[in-house]
Amino acid sequence: HSYAVSPDGRYLATGHDGGSIALWDTRKGVLAAVTDTGTTDLRGLSFSPDNSRGGSQLLAGGHMGHALVYSVN
């Protein structure tokens, strides 16, 4: 399991067994999205440090070198 909080505190991303990622809207207290990474080796999550590209970016990484980037708007 892994987790990350967006720099502005609006989103909490949680990684789960089986490779799914849940994105929680902390302001509304609701589940905003769920995605399947397609990999079961999910090991870490991290948000980009700023919104310079029009929204946060969420990086999901695995122990086998897999890396996926998601736009979070």
Side-chain angles (χ1 to χ4, degrees), residues 6-8 11 47-48 50-51 54-58 70-73:
S6 63
D8 62 3
Y11 295 106
F47 280 93
S48 58
D50 61 31
N51 294 331
S56 289
Q57 304 290 311
L58 175 65
Y70 298 94
S71 292
V72 178
N73 296 319

Side-chain angles (χ1 to χ4, degrees), residues 6-63:
S6 63
D8 62 3
R10 175 153 189 198
Y11 295 106
L12 168 67
T14 55
H16 302 274
D17 292 339
S20 66
I21 298 172
L23 185 67
W24 300 89
D25 185 322
T26 60
R27 293 181 187 162
K28 295 179 181 177
V30 297
L31 180 62
V34 176
T35 189
D36 182 3
T37 63
T39 183
T40 58
D41 75 337
L42 184 62
R43 293 293 182 256
L45 297 170
S46 181
F47 280 93
S48 58
D50 61 31
N51 294 331
S52 62
R53 297 181 187 246
S56 289
Q57 304 290 311
L58 175 65
L59 173 69
H63 78 278

